[in-house]
């Protein structure tokens, strides 16, 4: 059973028999179906069924000449909104199956952001059509099993302005460092040492979450899972139509990136509201916009 079925409202599933019923429902009463040719005998197929606004289950497998479907794997999905990043994206295939991950090199966060690719068949069709696949942007989203709501960090306008300037200057330095500029590399190193020193002194008398406004960092051994803390920019409630479970859809700003996160209401500690912060562990997914 997939760990993040709970994140889209299937936390009450008891055993594989009930899961197989849901997968059968997904296959027979799908909302979206895509096929891409693999060879003369087999096609690679995608079946998606929505169980609420933007949430659902996707199934992938092979279909033979007699239209017999052989499932390889499935996963729960959550479709985000808007554009998260216009940075360059690289696509890599997983070794064990026909699924892909994207690697987004956005300078705002300072790390290579890895996400599970949702529009696999669309990508495969683009790759068959042209050798050099062009991407316009990426829309990220996160599935979360549970989290905590935190109060915002109090800042005045001058502090917010200085923070924006610091982020902009750091992005310029990181761009220069990527090209091998020794002065930029030295400046970033000194900044990191200075930041570490300041944080260490403040941690003696302050809580870490009054110092750190937002963050995103890898979590666990899976490359596309992250621990995040972000400001809530938007909030709405949706319902899983199959189970009736209520879910929060939050639009978060995390280290300058904006994306949506889906989390069960009953697994959230605190009352979310615009302006407050949300802390949790997410499975990052994404759609490449061609």
């Amino acid at each position: 059973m997939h760990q993040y079925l709970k994140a889209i409202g299937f936390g009450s599933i008891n055993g594989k028999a009930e899961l197989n019923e849901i997968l059968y429902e997904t296959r027979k009463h799908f909302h979206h179906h895509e096929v891409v040719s693999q060879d003369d005998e087999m096609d690679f197929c995608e079946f998606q069924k929505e169980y609420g606004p933007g949430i659902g289950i996707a199934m992938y497998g092979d279909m033979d000449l007699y239209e017999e479907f052989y499932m390889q794997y499935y996963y729960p999905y959550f479709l985000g909104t808007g554009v998260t990043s216009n940075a360059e994206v690289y696509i890599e295939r997983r070794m064990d199956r026909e699924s892909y991950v994207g690697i987004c090199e956005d300078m705002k966060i300072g790390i290579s952001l890895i996400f599970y690719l949702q529009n696999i068949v669309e990508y495969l069709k683009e790759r068959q059509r042209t050798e050099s696949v062009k991407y316009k942007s990426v829309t990220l989203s996160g599935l979360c099993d549970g989290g905590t709501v935190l109060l915002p960090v109090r800042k005045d306008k001058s502090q917010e302005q200085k923070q924006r300037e610091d982020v902009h200057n750091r992005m310029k330095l990181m761009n220069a460092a990527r090209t091998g500029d020794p002065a930029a590399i030295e400046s970033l190193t000194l900044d990191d040492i200075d930041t570490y020193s300041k944080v260490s002194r403040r941690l003696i008398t302050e809580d870490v979450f009054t110092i750190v406004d937002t963050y995103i960092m890898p979590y666990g051994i899976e490359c596309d899972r992250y621990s995040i803390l972000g400001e809530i920019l938007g909030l709405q409630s949706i319902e899983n139509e199959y189970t009736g479970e209520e879910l929060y859809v939050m639009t978060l700003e995390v280290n300058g990136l904006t994306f949506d996160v889906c989390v069960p209401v009953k697994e959230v500690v605190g009352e979310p509201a615009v302006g407050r912060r949300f802390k949790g562990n997410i499975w990052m997914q994404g759609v490449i916009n061609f």
Side-chain angles (χ1 to χ4, degrees), residues 122-245:
E122 186 180 7
Y123 165 72
L124 292 176
K125 287 181 177 180
E126 285 289 329
R127 201 174 64 178
Q128 289 180 355
R129 193 176 297 119
T130 176
E131 292 182 2
S132 179
V133 181
K134 303 292 184 182
Y135 318 122
K136 290 182 179 179
S137 60
V138 61
T139 300
L140 298 179
S141 57
L143 284 178
C144 182
D145 282 345
T148 306
V149 178
L150 304 178
L151 293 174
V153 174
R154 186 175 181 181
K155 294 179 290 186
D156 56 33
K157 290 186 178 180
S158 62
Q159 289 174 314
E160 291 177 355
Q161 178 65 25
K162 186 178 185 304
Q163 186 177 17
R164 285 193 293 267
E165 290 174 358
D166 290 344
V167 170
H168 180 69
N169 292 335
R170 184 172 177 82
M171 286 176 60
K172 290 171 64 177
L173 286 172
M174 291 185 69
N175 278 321
R178 288 185 68 184
T179 62
D181 187 340
I185 295 172
E186 183 180 359
S187 180
L188 284 170
T189 303
L190 293 174
D191 284 347
D192 288 343
I193 294 172
D194 187 44
T195 300
Y196 178 79
S197 177
K198 288 179 179 177
V199 170
S200 297
R201 287 196 302 269
R202 290 183 61 181
L203 281 175
I204 298 172
T205 57
E206 297 180 54
D207 183 82
V208 65
F209 294 118
T210 65
I211 302 171
V212 179
D213 196 3
T214 70
Y215 68 76
I216 179 168
M217 57 186 180
Y219 172 78
I221 61 173
E222 296 286 346
C223 61
D224 47 12
R225 292 181 67 191
Y226 294 90
S227 176
I228 63 164
L229 173 65
E231 181 183 353
I232 302 174
L233 303 180
L235 175 68
Q236 61 173 315
S237 295
I238 63 173
E239 184 182 283
N240 184 310
E241 297 168 358
Y242 189 90
T243 63
E245 189 170 336

Side-chain angles (χ1 to χ4, degrees), residues 1-2 5-6 8-31 47-51 55-59 71 74-77 240-245:
M1 190 178 300
H2 200 287
L5 281 172
K6 177 181 176 182
I8 62 168
F10 287 106
S12 59
I13 294 178
N14 295 314
K16 287 189 176 181
E18 192 172 348
L19 172 62
N20 288 333
E21 289 181 12
I22 294 171
L23 294 178
Y24 179 81
E25 180 77 11
T26 302
R27 168 68 178 87
K28 291 298 181 181
H29 305 287
F30 57 86
H31 289 99
F47 293 94
Q48 290 185 0
K49 178 172 174 57
E50 284 191 357
Y51 288 95
I55 61 169
I57 294 176
M59 296 175 62
M71 188 183 80
Y74 74 95
Y75 72 91
Y77 70 84
N240 184 310
E241 297 168 358
Y242 189 90
T243 63
E245 189 170 336

